[in-house]
Amino acid sequence: MNRGNFGSSIGVLLAMAGSAIGLGNLWRFPHLMGSNGGAAFLIIYVCFVFLLCLPIMFSEFIIGRRGAANTVRAYKVLAPKSQWHWIGIMSLLASLLVLAFYSVVGGWTLNYIWKALRFSFTEGANFTEMYHLSVTSTADSLFFSIFFLLVTAGVIIAGVKNGIEKWAKILMPALFIIIIMVAIRSLTLPNATEGLKFMFSPDFSKITGDTVLAALGQAFFSLSLGMGCVQTYASYVDKKDNIVKLSSMVLVSDTLFAIIAGIAIMPAVFSFGVSPEEGPGLLFVILPDIFSQLPFGGFIAIFFFFMLFVAALTSSISMLEVLVAYVIEEMNVKRVKAVFLTGAIALVLVVLNSLSQGVLSDFKILGYNMFDICDKTSANILLPLGGMLMVIFVGWRLKKSDFIDEITSGGNVKLKEWFLNFTYFIIKFVAPIVVAVVMISSWLL
Ligand code: TRP
Protein backbone atom coordinates (compact mmCIF):
# COMPACT_ATOMS: atom_id res chain seq x y z
CA MET A 1 0.00 0.00 0.00
CA ASN A 2 1.21 3.50 -0.76
CA ARG A 3 1.29 5.16 2.64
CA GLY A 4 2.34 8.56 1.38
CA ASN A 5 5.56 10.23 2.37
CA PHE A 6 6.90 13.56 3.34
CA GLY A 7 8.06 15.62 0.40
CA SER A 8 11.53 16.45 1.70
CA SER A 9 13.80 16.32 4.72
CA ILE A 10 12.96 19.89 5.53
CA GLY A 11 9.30 18.95 5.39
CA VAL A 12 9.93 16.21 7.94
CA LEU A 13 11.79 18.57 10.20
CA LEU A 14 9.01 21.14 10.04
CA ALA A 15 6.30 18.62 10.67
CA MET A 16 8.14 17.13 13.61
CA ALA A 17 9.09 20.49 15.05
CA GLY A 18 5.50 21.58 14.44
CA SER A 19 4.30 18.61 16.44
CA ALA A 20 6.75 19.26 19.27
CA ILE A 21 6.38 23.04 19.52
CA GLY A 22 2.94 23.90 20.73
CA LEU A 23 0.89 24.65 23.78
CA GLY A 24 3.27 22.43 25.70
CA ASN A 25 6.03 25.03 25.36
CA LEU A 26 4.04 28.21 25.60
CA TRP A 27 1.23 27.30 27.95
CA ARG A 28 2.05 24.11 29.89
CA PHE A 29 5.75 24.70 30.53
CA PRO A 30 5.45 28.18 32.11
CA HIS A 31 2.60 27.22 34.41
CA LEU A 32 4.29 24.00 35.51
CA MET A 33 7.53 25.81 36.15
CA GLY A 34 5.56 28.42 38.08
CA SER A 35 3.96 25.93 40.40
CA ASN A 36 7.02 23.70 40.77
CA GLY A 37 9.56 26.14 42.12
CA GLY A 38 11.02 27.67 38.94
CA ALA A 39 14.74 27.11 38.43
CA ALA A 40 14.95 23.69 40.06
CA PHE A 41 12.22 22.49 37.74
CA LEU A 42 13.95 24.04 34.73
CA ILE A 43 17.26 22.35 35.46
CA ILE A 44 15.73 18.93 35.95
CA TYR A 45 13.66 19.42 32.83
CA VAL A 46 16.66 20.32 30.64
CA CYS A 47 18.66 17.34 31.97
CA PHE A 48 15.82 14.98 31.16
CA VAL A 49 15.42 16.41 27.68
CA PHE A 50 19.03 16.06 26.64
CA LEU A 51 20.24 13.02 28.52
CA LEU A 52 17.16 10.88 28.53
CA CYS A 53 14.66 11.99 25.94
CA LEU A 54 17.08 12.20 23.04
CA PRO A 55 17.90 8.48 23.10
CA ILE A 56 14.22 7.74 23.68
CA MET A 57 13.40 9.79 20.63
CA PHE A 58 15.91 7.83 18.57
CA SER A 59 14.17 4.67 19.73
CA GLU A 60 10.72 5.84 18.81
CA PHE A 61 12.03 7.03 15.47
CA ILE A 62 13.68 3.67 14.82
CA ILE A 63 10.52 1.71 15.61
CA GLY A 64 8.45 3.96 13.37
CA ARG A 65 10.69 4.04 10.34
CA ARG A 66 11.71 0.40 10.47
CA GLY A 67 8.18 -0.81 11.18
CA ALA A 68 6.81 1.46 8.43
CA ALA A 69 3.23 1.19 9.64
CA ASN A 70 0.84 2.63 12.20
CA THR A 71 1.82 2.55 15.84
CA VAL A 72 0.29 -0.86 16.54
CA ARG A 73 1.26 -2.66 13.37
CA ALA A 74 4.86 -1.45 13.52
CA TYR A 75 5.38 -3.74 16.53
CA LYS A 76 3.71 -6.63 14.76
CA VAL A 77 6.07 -6.14 11.82
CA LEU A 78 9.18 -5.92 13.98
CA ALA A 79 8.21 -8.57 16.52
CA PRO A 80 5.70 -10.93 14.93
CA LYS A 81 3.57 -13.14 17.15
CA SER A 82 4.37 -11.30 20.34
CA GLN A 83 2.57 -9.03 22.76
CA TRP A 84 4.66 -5.92 22.07
CA HIS A 85 1.88 -4.32 20.04
CA TRP A 86 0.16 -3.49 23.33
CA ILE A 87 2.57 -0.57 23.53
CA GLY A 88 0.93 0.65 20.35
CA ILE A 89 -2.54 0.24 21.80
CA MET A 90 -1.49 2.24 24.82
CA SER A 91 -0.21 4.91 22.44
CA LEU A 92 -3.64 5.13 20.81
CA LEU A 93 -5.26 5.66 24.18
CA ALA A 94 -2.74 8.31 25.16
CA SER A 95 -3.25 10.17 21.88
CA LEU A 96 -6.96 10.30 22.50
CA LEU A 97 -6.59 11.62 26.04
CA VAL A 98 -4.04 14.25 25.06
CA LEU A 99 -6.11 15.35 22.09
CA ALA A 100 -9.16 15.69 24.34
CA PHE A 101 -7.76 18.25 26.75
CA TYR A 102 -5.46 19.81 24.18
CA SER A 103 -8.49 20.78 22.10
CA VAL A 104 -9.92 22.59 25.09
CA VAL A 105 -6.80 24.73 25.45
CA GLY A 106 -6.71 25.07 21.66
CA GLY A 107 -10.25 26.43 22.07
CA TRP A 108 -8.96 29.02 24.55
CA THR A 109 -6.51 30.26 21.92
CA LEU A 110 -9.42 30.72 19.50
CA ASN A 111 -11.43 32.46 22.19
CA TYR A 112 -8.50 34.83 22.77
CA ILE A 113 -8.11 35.52 19.06
CA TRP A 114 -11.74 36.54 19.09
CA LYS A 115 -11.20 38.76 22.12
CA ALA A 116 -8.10 40.28 20.53
CA LEU A 117 -10.03 41.02 17.34
CA ARG A 118 -12.51 43.01 19.39
CA PHE A 119 -9.61 44.76 21.17
CA SER A 120 -10.76 43.55 24.58
CA PHE A 121 -7.33 43.76 26.18
CA THR A 122 -7.53 47.27 27.56
CA GLU A 123 -5.09 48.58 30.13
CA GLY A 124 -6.17 47.97 33.68
CA ALA A 125 -8.74 45.31 32.82
CA ASN A 126 -9.10 42.40 35.21
CA PHE A 127 -7.40 39.69 33.18
CA THR A 128 -7.69 37.00 35.80
CA GLU A 129 -11.42 37.39 35.85
CA MET A 130 -11.58 37.53 32.07
CA TYR A 131 -9.78 34.21 31.89
CA HIS A 132 -11.96 32.54 34.50
CA LEU A 133 -15.12 33.75 32.84
CA SER A 134 -14.03 32.44 29.45
CA VAL A 135 -13.06 28.97 30.54
CA THR A 136 -16.02 28.38 32.81
CA SER A 137 -18.65 29.60 30.38
CA THR A 138 -20.38 26.56 28.89
CA ALA A 139 -21.25 28.15 25.57
CA ASP A 140 -17.84 29.72 24.92
CA SER A 141 -15.87 26.75 26.03
CA LEU A 142 -17.89 24.21 24.04
CA PHE A 143 -18.05 26.32 20.94
CA PHE A 144 -14.36 27.08 20.73
CA SER A 145 -13.01 23.66 21.69
CA ILE A 146 -15.29 21.88 19.24
CA PHE A 147 -14.29 24.39 16.61
CA PHE A 148 -10.65 23.64 17.30
CA LEU A 149 -11.25 19.91 16.92
CA LEU A 150 -13.10 20.48 13.65
CA VAL A 151 -10.23 22.52 12.21
CA THR A 152 -7.81 19.78 13.25
CA ALA A 153 -9.96 17.18 11.52
CA GLY A 154 -10.29 19.40 8.46
CA VAL A 155 -6.54 19.72 8.06
CA ILE A 156 -6.02 15.99 8.46
CA ILE A 157 -8.58 15.32 5.74
CA ALA A 158 -6.98 17.85 3.41
CA GLY A 159 -3.59 16.24 3.90
CA VAL A 160 -0.69 17.46 5.90
CA LYS A 161 1.80 18.06 3.16
CA ASN A 162 0.27 20.89 1.19
CA GLY A 163 -1.65 22.70 3.82
CA ILE A 164 -0.12 22.82 7.21
CA GLU A 165 3.50 22.39 6.20
CA LYS A 166 3.44 25.49 4.05
CA TRP A 167 1.76 27.53 6.75
CA ALA A 168 4.01 26.27 9.46
CA LYS A 169 7.05 27.29 7.45
CA ILE A 170 5.99 30.94 7.57
CA LEU A 171 4.17 31.11 10.85
CA MET A 172 6.50 29.24 13.18
CA PRO A 173 9.45 31.59 12.58
CA ALA A 174 7.04 34.50 13.00
CA LEU A 175 5.87 33.12 16.32
CA PHE A 176 9.47 32.83 17.39
CA ILE A 177 10.11 36.48 16.60
CA ILE A 178 6.99 37.66 18.42
CA ILE A 179 7.73 35.65 21.53
CA ILE A 180 11.24 37.16 21.59
CA MET A 181 9.73 40.62 21.35
CA VAL A 182 7.37 39.86 24.19
CA ALA A 183 10.27 38.48 26.19
CA ILE A 184 12.20 41.71 25.71
CA ARG A 185 9.22 43.76 26.83
CA SER A 186 8.77 41.51 29.81
CA LEU A 187 12.42 41.91 30.77
CA THR A 188 12.14 45.68 30.75
CA LEU A 189 9.22 45.78 33.19
CA PRO A 190 9.90 46.93 36.75
CA ASN A 191 11.01 44.08 39.01
CA ALA A 192 11.78 41.85 36.05
CA THR A 193 14.88 40.49 37.74
CA GLU A 194 12.68 38.78 40.33
CA GLY A 195 11.25 36.68 37.53
CA LEU A 196 14.70 35.84 36.19
CA LYS A 197 15.86 34.86 39.65
CA PHE A 198 12.85 32.61 39.96
CA MET A 199 13.73 30.95 36.66
CA PHE A 200 17.48 30.70 36.94
CA SER A 201 18.58 30.57 40.55
CA PRO A 202 17.55 27.21 41.88
CA ASP A 203 16.33 26.39 45.33
CA PHE A 204 16.90 22.66 45.44
CA SER A 205 15.18 22.30 48.79
CA LYS A 206 11.90 22.69 46.91
CA ILE A 207 12.39 19.50 44.90
CA THR A 208 9.98 16.69 45.63
CA GLY A 209 9.16 13.46 43.85
CA ASP A 210 6.27 15.28 42.23
CA THR A 211 8.52 18.01 40.85
CA VAL A 212 10.77 15.45 39.23
CA LEU A 213 7.84 13.54 37.77
CA ALA A 214 6.26 16.75 36.51
CA ALA A 215 9.55 17.65 34.78
CA LEU A 216 9.82 14.20 33.23
CA GLY A 217 6.19 14.25 32.09
CA GLN A 218 6.64 17.70 30.62
CA ALA A 219 9.77 16.62 28.73
CA PHE A 220 7.81 13.80 27.11
CA PHE A 221 4.82 16.02 26.50
CA SER A 222 6.76 18.82 24.91
CA LEU A 223 8.71 16.51 22.62
CA SER A 224 5.53 14.61 21.61
CA LEU A 225 7.26 11.52 22.90
CA GLY A 226 5.97 8.18 24.11
CA MET A 227 2.63 7.90 22.38
CA GLY A 228 3.35 6.99 18.79
CA CYS A 229 3.46 10.51 17.41
CA VAL A 230 7.13 10.53 16.49
CA GLN A 231 6.67 6.92 15.42
CA THR A 232 3.80 7.66 13.05
CA TYR A 233 5.62 10.59 11.45
CA ALA A 234 8.80 8.52 11.26
CA SER A 235 6.94 5.89 9.27
CA TYR A 236 6.58 8.47 6.50
CA VAL A 237 10.26 9.41 6.58
CA ASP A 238 12.73 8.54 3.85
CA LYS A 239 15.14 5.68 4.60
CA LYS A 240 18.12 7.96 3.94
CA ASP A 241 17.17 10.79 6.28
CA ASN A 242 19.43 11.35 9.27
CA ILE A 243 17.62 10.35 12.47
CA VAL A 244 20.22 11.77 14.82
CA LYS A 245 20.31 15.16 13.18
CA LEU A 246 16.52 15.43 12.82
CA SER A 247 15.88 14.46 16.42
CA SER A 248 18.52 16.83 17.77
CA MET A 249 17.18 19.76 15.79
CA VAL A 250 13.64 19.13 16.98
CA LEU A 251 14.89 18.87 20.53
CA VAL A 252 16.93 22.06 20.50
CA SER A 253 14.26 24.19 18.86
CA ASP A 254 11.60 22.86 21.20
CA THR A 255 13.65 23.59 24.30
CA LEU A 256 14.63 27.03 23.10
CA PHE A 257 10.99 27.86 22.55
CA ALA A 258 10.07 26.76 26.05
CA ILE A 259 12.81 28.77 27.72
CA ILE A 260 12.03 31.93 25.78
CA ALA A 261 8.35 31.48 26.63
CA GLY A 262 9.40 31.29 30.27
CA ILE A 263 11.41 34.51 29.93
CA ALA A 264 8.41 36.16 28.29
CA ILE A 265 6.14 35.22 31.15
CA MET A 266 7.97 34.96 34.48
CA PRO A 267 9.36 38.52 34.75
CA ALA A 268 5.88 39.85 33.97
CA VAL A 269 4.36 37.56 36.59
CA PHE A 270 6.53 39.12 39.27
CA SER A 271 6.21 42.61 37.92
CA PHE A 272 2.42 42.47 37.94
CA GLY A 273 2.34 40.84 41.35
CA VAL A 274 0.56 37.72 40.09
CA SER A 275 1.37 34.43 41.80
CA PRO A 276 3.51 32.12 39.64
CA GLU A 277 1.30 29.36 40.98
CA GLU A 278 -1.72 30.75 39.20
CA GLY A 279 -1.88 27.47 37.25
CA PRO A 280 -3.15 26.80 33.74
CA GLY A 281 -4.36 30.37 33.30
CA LEU A 282 -0.89 31.88 33.61
CA LEU A 283 -0.27 32.48 29.91
CA PHE A 284 -3.79 33.72 29.26
CA VAL A 285 -3.68 36.13 32.18
CA ILE A 286 -0.17 37.55 31.86
CA LEU A 287 0.21 38.03 28.13
CA PRO A 288 -2.98 40.06 27.55
CA ASP A 289 -1.80 42.25 30.40
CA ILE A 290 1.53 42.84 28.65
CA PHE A 291 -0.16 43.42 25.30
CA SER A 292 -2.46 46.00 26.84
CA GLN A 293 0.61 48.05 27.76
CA LEU A 294 2.48 47.84 24.48
CA PRO A 295 2.24 50.31 21.64
CA PHE A 296 0.16 48.58 18.96
CA GLY A 297 -0.45 45.91 21.59
CA GLY A 298 -3.91 45.28 20.23
CA PHE A 299 -2.50 44.18 16.91
CA ILE A 300 0.34 42.21 18.43
CA ALA A 301 -2.24 40.34 20.50
CA ILE A 302 -4.16 39.35 17.39
CA PHE A 303 -1.00 38.05 15.75
CA PHE A 304 0.22 36.33 18.84
CA PHE A 305 -2.91 34.38 19.60
CA PHE A 306 -3.32 33.50 15.97
CA MET A 307 0.16 32.01 15.92
CA LEU A 308 -0.39 30.28 19.20
CA PHE A 309 -3.38 28.70 17.57
CA VAL A 310 -1.28 27.60 14.60
CA ALA A 311 1.36 26.14 16.91
CA ALA A 312 -1.40 24.25 18.70
CA LEU A 313 -2.85 23.06 15.43
CA THR A 314 0.42 21.65 14.09
CA SER A 315 0.56 19.65 17.32
CA SER A 316 -3.05 18.52 17.48
CA ILE A 317 -2.95 17.20 13.94
CA SER A 318 0.01 15.02 14.90
CA MET A 319 -2.08 13.48 17.68
CA LEU A 320 -5.09 12.83 15.49
CA GLU A 321 -2.83 11.42 12.78
CA VAL A 322 -1.73 8.64 15.15
CA LEU A 323 -5.35 7.49 15.43
CA VAL A 324 -6.23 8.07 11.80
CA ALA A 325 -3.21 6.14 10.50
CA TYR A 326 -4.27 3.22 12.67
CA VAL A 327 -7.89 3.22 11.54
CA ILE A 328 -6.97 3.57 7.86
CA GLU A 329 -4.64 0.60 7.92
CA GLU A 330 -6.36 -1.71 10.36
CA MET A 331 -9.96 -1.15 9.33
CA ASN A 332 -9.14 -0.63 5.71
CA VAL A 333 -11.14 2.53 5.27
CA LYS A 334 -10.49 5.76 3.41
CA ARG A 335 -8.86 8.72 5.14
CA VAL A 336 -12.05 10.78 5.27
CA LYS A 337 -13.98 8.01 6.94
CA ALA A 338 -11.18 7.38 9.40
CA VAL A 339 -11.14 11.05 10.36
CA PHE A 340 -14.90 11.05 10.95
CA LEU A 341 -14.71 7.97 13.11
CA THR A 342 -11.82 9.08 15.29
CA GLY A 343 -13.11 12.65 15.34
CA ALA A 344 -16.47 11.47 16.70
CA ILE A 345 -14.82 9.60 19.54
CA ALA A 346 -12.58 12.55 20.32
CA LEU A 347 -15.60 14.85 20.26
CA VAL A 348 -17.24 13.10 23.19
CA LEU A 349 -14.10 13.47 25.28
CA VAL A 350 -13.57 17.06 24.20
CA VAL A 351 -17.10 17.98 25.32
CA LEU A 352 -16.56 16.37 28.72
CA ASN A 353 -13.18 18.06 29.13
CA SER A 354 -14.51 21.39 28.14
CA LEU A 355 -17.42 21.21 30.58
CA SER A 356 -15.13 20.01 33.35
CA GLN A 357 -13.80 23.57 33.60
CA GLY A 358 -17.28 24.94 34.25
CA VAL A 359 -20.57 23.17 34.94
CA LEU A 360 -18.93 19.79 35.50
CA SER A 361 -16.11 21.13 37.66
CA ASP A 362 -17.53 19.42 40.74
CA PHE A 363 -17.41 16.05 39.10
CA LYS A 364 -14.12 14.75 40.43
CA ILE A 365 -12.32 11.45 40.67
CA LEU A 366 -9.70 11.30 43.42
CA GLY A 367 -9.90 15.06 43.67
CA TYR A 368 -9.21 15.74 40.00
CA ASN A 369 -11.64 16.89 37.35
CA MET A 370 -11.75 15.35 33.90
CA PHE A 371 -9.34 17.89 32.38
CA ASP A 372 -6.71 17.27 35.06
CA ILE A 373 -7.16 13.54 34.76
CA CYS A 374 -6.54 13.59 31.01
CA ASP A 375 -3.60 15.95 31.46
CA LYS A 376 -1.97 14.17 34.39
CA THR A 377 -2.56 10.55 33.41
CA SER A 378 -1.23 11.12 29.95
CA ALA A 379 1.81 13.24 30.78
CA ASN A 380 2.77 11.68 34.11
CA ILE A 381 1.90 8.05 33.46
CA LEU A 382 1.11 7.03 29.89
CA LEU A 383 3.83 8.96 28.06
CA PRO A 384 6.75 8.01 30.34
CA LEU A 385 5.50 4.44 30.48
CA GLY A 386 5.15 4.34 26.70
CA GLY A 387 8.63 5.80 26.26
CA MET A 388 10.08 3.33 28.72
CA LEU A 389 8.54 0.37 26.92
CA MET A 390 9.80 1.72 23.60
CA VAL A 391 13.41 1.86 24.75
CA ILE A 392 13.04 -1.59 26.27
CA PHE A 393 11.75 -2.80 22.93
CA VAL A 394 14.68 -1.33 21.02
CA GLY A 395 17.26 -2.32 23.62
CA TRP A 396 16.10 -5.83 24.36
CA ARG A 397 13.93 -7.05 21.52
CA LEU A 398 15.57 -5.62 18.41
CA LYS A 399 19.07 -6.78 17.59
CA LYS A 400 21.92 -4.36 18.14
CA SER A 401 22.75 -4.68 14.45
CA ASP A 402 19.20 -3.55 13.58
CA PHE A 403 19.59 -0.59 15.88
CA ILE A 404 22.84 0.39 14.21
CA ASP A 405 21.49 -0.19 10.72
CA GLU A 406 18.50 2.05 11.35
CA ILE A 407 20.17 4.85 13.26
CA THR A 408 22.88 5.13 10.59
CA SER A 409 20.18 4.98 7.90
CA GLY A 410 21.64 1.79 6.44
CA GLY A 411 25.22 3.04 6.68
CA ASN A 412 24.43 6.32 4.93
CA VAL A 413 25.10 8.37 8.01
CA LYS A 414 28.55 8.00 9.52
CA LEU A 415 28.41 7.92 13.30
CA LYS A 416 31.28 7.45 15.72
CA GLU A 417 31.63 4.06 17.34
CA TRP A 418 31.62 5.50 20.88
CA PHE A 419 28.46 7.47 20.15
CA LEU A 420 26.65 4.35 19.00
CA ASN A 421 27.77 2.33 22.00
CA PHE A 422 26.99 5.08 24.45
CA THR A 423 23.52 5.67 23.01
CA TYR A 424 22.81 1.98 22.97
CA PHE A 425 23.88 1.66 26.59
CA ILE A 426 21.53 4.46 27.62
CA ILE A 427 18.68 2.93 25.66
CA LYS A 428 19.25 -0.54 27.02
CA PHE A 429 19.96 0.19 30.68
CA VAL A 430 19.85 3.79 31.80
CA ALA A 431 16.64 5.09 30.25
CA PRO A 432 14.31 2.32 31.41
CA ILE A 433 15.69 2.41 34.93
CA VAL A 434 15.59 6.19 35.30
CA VAL A 435 12.01 6.43 34.05
CA ALA A 436 10.91 3.59 36.30
CA VAL A 437 12.63 5.06 39.34
CA VAL A 438 11.14 8.52 38.79
CA MET A 439 7.64 7.14 38.35
CA ILE A 440 7.72 4.74 41.24
CA SER A 441 9.40 7.10 43.67
CA SER A 442 6.90 9.86 42.97
CA TRP A 443 4.11 7.46 43.91
CA LEU A 444 5.85 6.46 47.11
CA LEU A 445 7.21 9.83 48.26
N1 TRP B 1 4.37 18.44 21.95
C1 TRP B 1 3.18 19.18 21.75
C2 TRP B 1 3.26 20.47 22.55
O1 TRP B 1 4.20 20.73 23.19
C3 TRP B 1 1.95 18.41 22.11
C4 TRP B 1 1.92 17.07 21.51
C5 TRP B 1 1.86 16.74 20.19
C6 TRP B 1 2.02 15.87 22.22
N2 TRP B 1 1.91 15.41 20.04
C7 TRP B 1 2.02 14.86 21.27
C8 TRP B 1 2.11 15.60 23.55
C9 TRP B 1 2.15 13.56 21.68
C10 TRP B 1 2.23 14.31 23.94
C11 TRP B 1 2.27 13.29 23.03
O2 TRP B 1 2.34 21.25 22.53
Side-chain angles (χ1 to χ4, degrees):
M1 183 173 14
N2 180 8
R3 307 187 59 252
N5 269 317
F6 282 118
S8 58
S9 312
I10 183 80
V12 178
L13 179 65
L14 281 173
M16 289 203 156
S19 166
I21 298 170
L23 298 171
N25 310 57
L26 295 149
W27 161 74
R28 202 172 185 275
F29 177 75
H31 90 71
L32 276 184
M33 183 167 60
S35 43
N36 281 290
F41 178 85
L42 178 63
I43 293 175
I44 304 174
Y45 172 80
V46 170
C47 292
F48 277 145
V49 166
F50 286 93
L51 300 176
L52 195 68
C53 289
L54 190 58
I56 297 179
M57 199 168 205
F58 295 158
S59 307
E60 188 168 343
F61 215 119
I62 287 171
I63 301 170
R65 189 167 74 173
R66 214 170 175 79
N70 65 72
T71 174
V72 176
R73 188 179 294 199
Y75 293 98
K76 295 189 178 165
V77 171
L78 297 173
K81 300 208 182 57
S82 70
Q83 298 298 322
W84 289 99
H85 64 275
W86 285 98
I87 308 177
I89 293 177
M90 204 176 87
S91 297
L92 296 177
L93 180 68
S95 310
L96 200 59
L97 290 188
V98 177
L99 181 61
F101 82 88
Y102 207 86
S103 300
V104 175
V105 187
W108 299 349
T109 67
L110 287 172
N111 190 333
Y112 271 68
I113 295 176
W114 179 234
K115 286 191 182 4
L117 283 172
R118 287 178 303 153
F119 295 103
S120 317
F121 306 138
T122 45
E123 210 168 337
N126 186 340
F127 294 101
T128 313
E129 192 177 292
M130 186 188 280
Y131 165 77
H132 286 295
L133 283 179
S134 338
V135 303
T136 51
S137 139
T138 305
D140 271 17
S141 182
L142 275 183
F143 175 77
F144 287 111
S145 49
I146 293 174
F147 195 66
F148 183 84
L149 183 66
L150 288 180
V151 178
T152 306
V155 173
I156 292 266
I157 291 180
V160 175
K161 199 154 57 181
N162 296 323
I164 203 77
E165 262 184 54
K166 269 190 203 142
W167 278 75
K169 219 184 225 166
I170 307 167
L171 290 172
M172 295 307 279
L175 179 67
F176 203 64
I177 292 170
I178 291 206
I179 192 80
I180 290 179
M181 279 168 41
V182 176
I184 293 174
R185 172 61 201 156
S186 186
L187 285 173
T188 48
L189 288 167
N191 261 338
T193 42
E194 286 302 308
L196 288 182
K197 243 188 247 153
F198 179 74
M199 259 185 92
F200 295 111
S201 92
D203 174 0
F204 286 107
S205 66
K206 292 238 171 70
I207 297 180
T208 62
D210 282 344
T211 316
V212 180
L213 182 67
L216 182 74
Q218 173 60 14
F220 277 89
F221 189 92
S222 193
L223 298 168
S224 310
L225 215 54
M227 57 152 248
C229 227
V230 173
Q231 208 185 325
T232 304
Y233 276 15
S235 75
Y236 306 130
V237 168
D238 195 277
K239 283 284 175 207
K240 291 200 196 70
D241 277 339
N242 186 339
I243 293 183
V244 176
K245 196 161 125 194
L246 276 171
S247 309
S248 315
M249 284 166 86
V250 170
L251 208 103
V252 169
S253 48
D254 186 71
T255 308
L256 217 57
F257 240 100
I259 293 177
I260 295 176
I263 298 180
I265 291 171
M266 283 311 157
V269 166
F270 283 85
S271 180
F272 297 157
V274 176
S275 158
E277 305 195 4
E278 161 79 22
L282 204 53
L283 175 85
F284 293 93
V285 173
I286 290 298
L287 285 187
D289 211 340
I290 298 193
F291 294 140
S292 75
Q293 303 178 21
L294 286 179
F296 305 109
F299 292 99
I300 299 178
I302 297 173
F303 272 115
F304 181 84
F305 284 109
F306 180 66
M307 287 169 193
L308 189 61
F309 160 70
V310 172
L313 191 64
T314 51
S315 300
S316 62
I317 57 170
S318 73
M319 298 165 202
L320 189 57
E321 181 64 21
V322 174
L323 301 166
V324 169
Y326 171 79
V327 172
I328 292 179
E329 282 176 3
E330 301 307 309
M331 300 189 174
N332 230 332
V333 296
K334 288 237 163 22
R335 179 164 273 270
V336 181
K337 219 170 169 184
V339 174
F340 273 102
L341 190 70
T342 50
I345 300 172
L347 182 66
V348 177
L349 288 173
V350 168
V351 168
L352 287 175
N353 266 289
S354 146
L355 296 180
S356 76
Q357 297 292 305
V359 286
L360 291 185
S361 61
D362 288 335
F363 176 74
K364 289 188 173 159
I365 304 174
L366 297 174
Y368 291 112
N369 65 28
M370 179 83 179
F371 183 94
D372 292 332
I373 291 175
C374 285
D375 180 342
K376 299 259 167 357
T377 22
S378 55
N380 292 356
I381 301 175
L382 293 177
L383 304 182
L385 193 62
M388 180 174 91
L389 294 172
M390 286 172 191
V391 277
I392 294 179
F393 181 78
V394 171
W396 297 88
R397 170 72 208 225
L398 291 187
K399 292 201 208 70
K400 187 172 181 189
S401 55
D402 289 334
F403 161 80
I404 293 182
D405 183 59
E406 197 61 42
I407 200 169
T408 58
S409 305
N412 261 305
V413 177
K414 299 281 170 258
L415 295 170
K416 295 264 184 312
E417 192 72 28
W418 69 262
F419 176 79
L420 289 174
N421 287 331
F422 179 68
T423 310
Y424 192 67
F425 177 76
I426 300 221
I427 288 175
K428 194 162 174 133
F429 300 104
V430 182
I433 294 175
V434 172
V435 176
V437 167
V438 172
M439 284 176 58
I440 293 171
S441 58
S442 80
W443 295 330
L444 298 181
L445 293 181

